[in-house]
Amino acid sequence: MLSAISAYKSTNGEMISKYTGTTTIELEQISVSLAKRKILSNVNLSLHRGEFTALLGPNGTGKSTLLKAITNEVTHGGSVKIYGQHRDYWANQDLARHLGVLPQSSSLSFNFTAQEVVELGAIGLTATNDDIKHLIINNMRQTDVDHLANRNYPTLSGGEKQRVHLARVLTQLEQSQDNTIILLDEPTSALDLHHQHTTLSLAKSLADKGATVVAVLHDLNLAAQYADRMVILNQGSIAVDAIPTIALQPDIIEDVYQHKVSIIPHPELGHPLVIPC
Protein backbone atom coordinates (compact mmCIF):
# COMPACT_ATOMS: atom_id res chain seq x y z
CA MET A 1 0.00 0.00 0.00
CA LEU A 2 2.87 2.39 0.66
CA SER A 3 3.56 2.66 -3.06
CA ALA A 4 0.06 4.11 -3.55
CA ILE A 5 0.61 6.97 -1.11
CA SER A 6 1.18 10.32 -2.78
CA ALA A 7 1.29 13.94 -1.71
CA TYR A 8 -1.55 16.28 -2.57
CA LYS A 9 -1.26 19.90 -3.59
CA SER A 10 -2.08 22.18 -0.66
CA THR A 11 -4.54 25.02 -1.14
CA ASN A 12 -4.66 26.94 2.12
CA GLY A 13 -2.84 24.54 4.40
CA GLU A 14 0.05 26.94 4.86
CA MET A 15 -2.33 29.34 6.62
CA ILE A 16 -3.14 26.66 9.19
CA SER A 17 0.55 25.99 9.80
CA LYS A 18 1.13 29.69 10.46
CA TYR A 19 -1.80 30.12 12.85
CA THR A 20 -0.50 31.33 16.23
CA GLY A 21 -3.68 31.87 18.23
CA THR A 22 -4.23 29.94 21.44
CA THR A 23 -7.88 29.10 20.64
CA THR A 24 -8.01 26.37 18.00
CA ILE A 25 -11.75 25.59 18.06
CA GLU A 26 -14.52 28.06 18.85
CA LEU A 27 -18.14 26.95 19.09
CA GLU A 28 -20.88 29.54 19.27
CA GLN A 29 -24.54 28.75 19.93
CA ILE A 30 -24.29 25.15 18.69
CA SER A 31 -27.71 23.48 18.56
CA VAL A 32 -28.55 20.05 17.15
CA SER A 33 -31.91 18.30 16.80
CA LEU A 34 -32.26 14.69 15.68
CA ALA A 35 -35.62 13.05 14.97
CA LYS A 36 -37.32 16.18 16.39
CA ARG A 37 -35.43 15.77 19.67
CA LYS A 38 -33.16 18.55 20.88
CA ILE A 39 -29.70 17.04 21.50
CA LEU A 40 -27.63 20.20 21.99
CA SER A 41 -28.94 23.62 22.92
CA ASN A 42 -26.91 26.80 22.36
CA VAL A 43 -23.55 25.40 23.41
CA ASN A 44 -20.66 27.87 23.57
CA LEU A 45 -17.18 26.41 23.99
CA SER A 46 -13.61 27.43 23.19
CA LEU A 47 -10.86 24.81 22.99
CA HIS A 48 -7.19 25.59 23.22
CA ARG A 49 -3.78 24.33 22.18
CA GLY A 50 -1.83 22.48 24.84
CA GLU A 51 -5.00 21.40 26.65
CA PHE A 52 -6.59 17.98 27.21
CA THR A 53 -10.34 18.47 27.58
CA ALA A 54 -12.62 15.64 28.70
CA LEU A 55 -16.26 15.77 27.54
CA LEU A 56 -18.41 14.04 30.14
CA GLY A 57 -22.06 13.56 31.01
CA PRO A 58 -24.85 10.97 31.08
CA ASN A 59 -25.75 8.82 28.10
CA GLY A 60 -27.56 10.72 25.36
CA THR A 61 -26.58 14.18 26.58
CA GLY A 62 -24.80 15.18 23.34
CA LYS A 63 -21.10 14.46 23.89
CA SER A 64 -20.47 12.59 20.63
CA THR A 65 -22.88 14.89 18.80
CA LEU A 66 -20.75 17.86 19.84
CA LEU A 67 -17.69 16.26 18.23
CA LYS A 68 -19.73 15.61 15.09
CA ALA A 69 -20.77 19.25 15.00
CA ILE A 70 -17.10 20.24 15.03
CA THR A 71 -16.36 17.93 12.08
CA ASN A 72 -19.58 18.89 10.25
CA GLU A 73 -20.96 15.34 10.40
CA VAL A 74 -24.33 16.53 11.72
CA THR A 75 -26.52 19.43 10.69
CA HIS A 76 -26.34 22.09 13.36
CA GLY A 77 -27.20 25.66 14.16
CA GLY A 78 -24.56 28.10 15.29
CA SER A 79 -20.97 28.64 14.24
CA VAL A 80 -17.87 26.42 14.28
CA LYS A 81 -14.53 28.13 13.82
CA ILE A 82 -11.28 26.20 13.50
CA TYR A 83 -7.96 28.04 13.57
CA GLY A 84 -9.79 31.35 13.51
CA GLN A 85 -11.87 30.66 10.39
CA HIS A 86 -15.28 29.16 9.78
CA ARG A 87 -15.05 25.38 9.43
CA ASP A 88 -16.07 25.49 5.74
CA TYR A 89 -13.28 27.94 4.91
CA TRP A 90 -10.67 25.18 5.06
CA ALA A 91 -10.31 22.60 2.32
CA ASN A 92 -10.91 19.13 3.75
CA GLN A 93 -7.54 17.88 2.52
CA ASP A 94 -5.71 20.67 4.33
CA LEU A 95 -7.69 20.39 7.52
CA ALA A 96 -7.08 16.62 7.56
CA ARG A 97 -3.37 17.26 8.07
CA HIS A 98 -4.15 19.08 11.32
CA LEU A 99 -7.35 17.54 12.66
CA GLY A 100 -7.65 13.84 13.38
CA VAL A 101 -10.74 11.98 14.60
CA LEU A 102 -10.94 8.65 16.40
CA PRO A 103 -14.60 7.55 16.14
CA GLN A 104 -16.37 5.26 18.59
CA SER A 105 -16.28 2.46 16.06
CA SER A 106 -15.29 1.87 12.47
CA SER A 107 -17.33 0.32 9.67
CA LEU A 108 -14.15 -0.71 7.85
CA SER A 109 -14.74 -4.24 6.57
CA PHE A 110 -11.99 -4.65 3.97
CA ASN A 111 -9.63 -7.52 4.61
CA PHE A 112 -6.68 -5.19 5.27
CA THR A 113 -3.95 -6.04 7.71
CA ALA A 114 -3.65 -3.87 10.79
CA GLN A 115 -0.57 -2.20 9.32
CA GLU A 116 -2.40 -1.42 6.07
CA VAL A 117 -5.12 0.32 8.08
CA VAL A 118 -2.49 2.48 9.78
CA GLU A 119 -0.95 3.21 6.38
CA LEU A 120 -4.22 4.86 5.33
CA GLY A 121 -3.22 7.70 7.66
CA ALA A 122 -0.12 8.35 5.57
CA ILE A 123 -2.05 9.40 2.47
CA GLY A 124 -0.99 12.96 1.73
CA LEU A 125 2.21 12.95 3.78
CA THR A 126 5.24 14.38 1.99
CA ALA A 127 7.86 11.81 2.92
CA THR A 128 9.73 8.89 1.43
CA ASN A 129 8.30 5.40 1.72
CA ASP A 130 11.12 4.46 4.09
CA ASP A 131 10.35 7.40 6.37
CA ILE A 132 6.66 6.56 6.32
CA LYS A 133 7.39 2.93 7.11
CA HIS A 134 9.44 3.93 10.17
CA LEU A 135 6.73 6.37 11.23
CA ILE A 136 4.04 3.69 11.02
CA ILE A 137 6.11 1.21 13.00
CA ASN A 138 6.73 3.83 15.70
CA ASN A 139 3.06 4.79 15.94
CA MET A 140 1.97 1.17 16.14
CA ARG A 141 4.50 0.68 18.91
CA GLN A 142 3.15 3.71 20.78
CA THR A 143 -0.36 2.27 20.71
CA ASP A 144 0.84 -1.28 21.41
CA VAL A 145 -0.35 -2.83 18.17
CA ASP A 146 3.00 -3.45 16.49
CA HIS A 147 2.66 -7.15 17.22
CA LEU A 148 -0.63 -7.13 15.28
CA ALA A 149 0.87 -5.68 12.09
CA ASN A 150 0.15 -8.71 9.89
CA ARG A 151 -3.18 -9.66 11.47
CA ASN A 152 -6.28 -9.16 9.34
CA TYR A 153 -8.13 -6.13 10.73
CA PRO A 154 -11.61 -7.77 10.83
CA THR A 155 -10.25 -10.51 13.15
CA LEU A 156 -9.10 -8.05 15.82
CA SER A 157 -10.96 -7.39 19.06
CA GLY A 158 -12.77 -4.10 19.61
CA GLY A 159 -9.97 -2.74 21.77
CA GLU A 160 -7.30 -3.77 19.29
CA LYS A 161 -9.21 -2.04 16.48
CA GLN A 162 -9.43 1.15 18.56
CA ARG A 163 -5.67 1.16 19.10
CA VAL A 164 -4.98 0.46 15.41
CA HIS A 165 -7.10 3.47 14.46
CA LEU A 166 -5.35 5.61 17.04
CA ALA A 167 -2.06 4.72 15.34
CA ARG A 168 -3.68 5.70 12.03
CA VAL A 169 -4.70 9.10 13.45
CA LEU A 170 -1.19 9.70 14.82
CA THR A 171 0.22 8.91 11.38
CA GLN A 172 -2.25 11.26 9.69
CA LEU A 173 -1.15 14.13 11.95
CA GLU A 174 2.59 13.58 11.63
CA GLN A 175 3.11 16.78 9.64
CA SER A 176 0.66 18.97 11.55
CA GLN A 177 3.57 20.87 13.10
CA ASP A 178 2.42 23.19 15.90
CA ASN A 179 -1.28 23.07 15.02
CA THR A 180 -2.76 19.72 15.93
CA ILE A 181 -6.31 18.84 16.95
CA ILE A 182 -7.23 15.33 18.08
CA LEU A 183 -10.87 14.40 18.72
CA LEU A 184 -11.33 11.08 20.52
CA ASP A 185 -14.84 9.66 20.81
CA GLU A 186 -14.88 7.19 23.71
CA PRO A 187 -11.27 6.07 23.10
CA THR A 188 -11.26 3.77 26.15
CA SER A 189 -14.69 2.15 25.72
CA ALA A 190 -13.32 -1.23 24.59
CA LEU A 191 -9.95 -1.13 26.34
CA ASP A 192 -8.69 -3.11 29.29
CA LEU A 193 -7.32 -1.37 32.39
CA HIS A 194 -3.73 -1.20 31.14
CA HIS A 195 -4.61 0.19 27.72
CA GLN A 196 -7.09 2.69 29.14
CA HIS A 197 -4.27 4.29 31.05
CA THR A 198 -1.63 4.04 28.33
CA THR A 199 -4.04 5.57 25.79
CA LEU A 200 -4.99 8.51 27.99
CA SER A 201 -1.38 8.98 29.07
CA LEU A 202 -0.48 9.25 25.38
CA ALA A 203 -3.31 11.74 24.82
CA LYS A 204 -2.09 13.81 27.78
CA SER A 205 1.48 13.77 26.46
CA LEU A 206 0.28 15.04 23.06
CA ALA A 207 -1.53 17.91 24.77
CA ASP A 208 1.59 18.67 26.82
CA LYS A 209 3.45 19.00 23.50
CA GLY A 210 0.93 21.58 22.26
CA ALA A 211 -1.92 19.61 20.69
CA THR A 212 -5.58 20.38 21.32
CA VAL A 213 -6.96 17.07 22.61
CA VAL A 214 -10.67 16.47 23.23
CA ALA A 215 -11.93 13.10 24.46
CA VAL A 216 -15.44 11.87 25.16
CA LEU A 217 -15.17 9.82 28.34
CA HIS A 218 -17.56 8.14 30.76
CA ASP A 219 -15.18 7.36 33.60
CA LEU A 220 -14.96 10.42 35.84
CA ASN A 221 -11.89 9.09 37.64
CA LEU A 222 -9.95 8.50 34.43
CA ALA A 223 -10.86 12.01 33.31
CA ALA A 224 -9.78 13.46 36.66
CA GLN A 225 -6.42 11.73 36.42
CA TYR A 226 -5.48 12.80 32.90
CA ALA A 227 -7.58 15.77 31.73
CA ASP A 228 -6.62 19.40 32.25
CA ARG A 229 -10.23 20.47 31.90
CA MET A 230 -13.62 18.82 32.31
CA VAL A 231 -16.67 19.92 30.34
CA ILE A 232 -19.69 18.14 31.78
CA LEU A 233 -22.84 18.17 29.66
CA ASN A 234 -26.34 17.65 30.99
CA GLN A 235 -29.46 17.52 28.84
CA GLY A 236 -27.68 19.15 25.90
CA SER A 237 -26.13 22.07 27.77
CA ILE A 238 -22.87 22.64 29.64
CA ALA A 239 -23.41 22.05 33.35
CA VAL A 240 -19.83 22.83 34.35
CA ASP A 241 -16.59 23.74 32.58
CA ALA A 242 -13.60 23.75 34.92
CA ILE A 243 -10.45 22.01 36.08
CA PRO A 244 -11.10 18.62 37.76
CA THR A 245 -10.78 19.87 41.34
CA ILE A 246 -13.53 22.42 40.72
CA ALA A 247 -15.73 20.41 38.36
CA LEU A 248 -15.90 17.36 40.58
CA GLN A 249 -18.09 18.48 43.44
CA PRO A 250 -20.67 16.13 45.00
CA ASP A 251 -23.61 18.45 44.35
CA ILE A 252 -22.67 18.88 40.69
CA ILE A 253 -22.16 15.16 40.06
CA GLU A 254 -25.34 14.20 41.94
CA ASP A 255 -27.37 16.76 39.97
CA VAL A 256 -26.00 15.65 36.59
CA TYR A 257 -25.84 11.88 37.11
CA GLN A 258 -28.69 11.50 39.59
CA HIS A 259 -26.49 9.43 41.89
CA LYS A 260 -25.04 10.26 45.28
CA VAL A 261 -21.23 10.30 45.45
CA SER A 262 -18.38 11.06 47.79
CA ILE A 263 -15.27 12.78 46.48
CA ILE A 264 -11.90 12.45 48.16
CA PRO A 265 -8.30 13.13 47.08
CA HIS A 266 -6.58 10.16 45.47
CA PRO A 267 -4.30 8.72 48.19
CA GLU A 268 -1.23 8.71 45.93
CA LEU A 269 -1.86 11.03 42.99
CA GLY A 270 -3.94 13.72 44.68
CA HIS A 271 -6.55 14.23 41.96
CA PRO A 272 -10.26 14.00 42.92
CA LEU A 273 -11.55 10.46 43.32
CA VAL A 274 -15.28 9.89 42.80
CA ILE A 275 -16.79 7.14 44.96
CA PRO A 276 -20.42 6.15 44.31
CA CYS A 277 -22.50 5.82 47.46
Side-chain angles (χ1 to χ4, degrees), residues 143-154:
T143 58
D144 193 26
V145 292
D146 50 320
H147 62 292
L148 303 174
N150 296 317
R151 284 271 304 275
N152 286 337
Y153 174 82

Side-chain angles (χ1 to χ4, degrees), residues 22-124:
T22 58
T23 299
T24 54
I25 299 175
E26 187 172 0
L27 308 179
E28 296 181 352
Q29 299 291 297
I30 298 299
S31 296
V32 176
S33 294
L34 299 174
K36 298 183 179 180
R37 175 174 172 262
K38 181 76 80 172
I39 305 298
L40 293 172
S41 180
N42 300 320
V43 172
N44 296 299
L45 183 64
S46 294
L47 299 164
H48 312 109
R49 65 170 78 245
E51 187 174 65
F52 181 5
T53 300
L55 289 182
L56 301 140
N59 293 335
T61 200
K63 302 181 297 297
S64 297
T65 301
L66 189 59
L67 292 191
K68 291 178 180 178
I70 294 173
T71 57
N72 218 23
E73 292 178 67
V74 293
T75 301
H76 60 82
S79 170
V80 176
K81 290 183 179 179
I82 299 178
Y83 299 122
Q85 300 288 346
H86 191 277
R87 164 65 178 77
D88 293 337
Y89 174 83
W90 304 115
N92 288 335
Q93 62 192 30
D94 291 314
L95 195 57
R97 300 187 75 172
H98 298 270
L99 190 157
V101 180
L102 181 69
Q104 285 186 34
S105 60
S106 171
S107 59
L108 182 64
S109 58
F110 295 110
N111 203 29
F112 289 166
T113 65
Q115 181 167 321
E116 287 173 333
V117 173
V118 179
E119 288 175 2
L120 293 174
I123 295 174

Side-chain angles (χ1 to χ4, degrees), residues 7 71 90 123 130 143 161 182 202 251 271 276:
T71 57
W90 304 115
I123 295 174
D130 283 344
T143 58
K161 288 177 179 177
I182 305 174
L202 175 58
D251 57 338
H271 63 76

Side-chain angles (χ1 to χ4, degrees), residues 226-273:
Y226 292 100
D228 301 303
R229 175 184 179 191
M230 303 176 82
V231 175
I232 301 178
L233 296 173
N234 189 27
Q235 298 181 9
S237 298
I238 295 177
V240 62
D241 177 0
I243 61 174
T245 53
I246 295 176
L248 293 177
Q249 301 295 327
D251 57 338
I252 294 174
I253 302 307
E254 290 169 21
D255 181 61
V256 170
Y257 288 93
Q258 299 297 297
H259 196 92
K260 188 174 178 60
V261 299
S262 294
I263 299 177
I264 63 173
H266 189 285
E268 295 185 11
L269 302 176
H271 63 76
L273 189 64

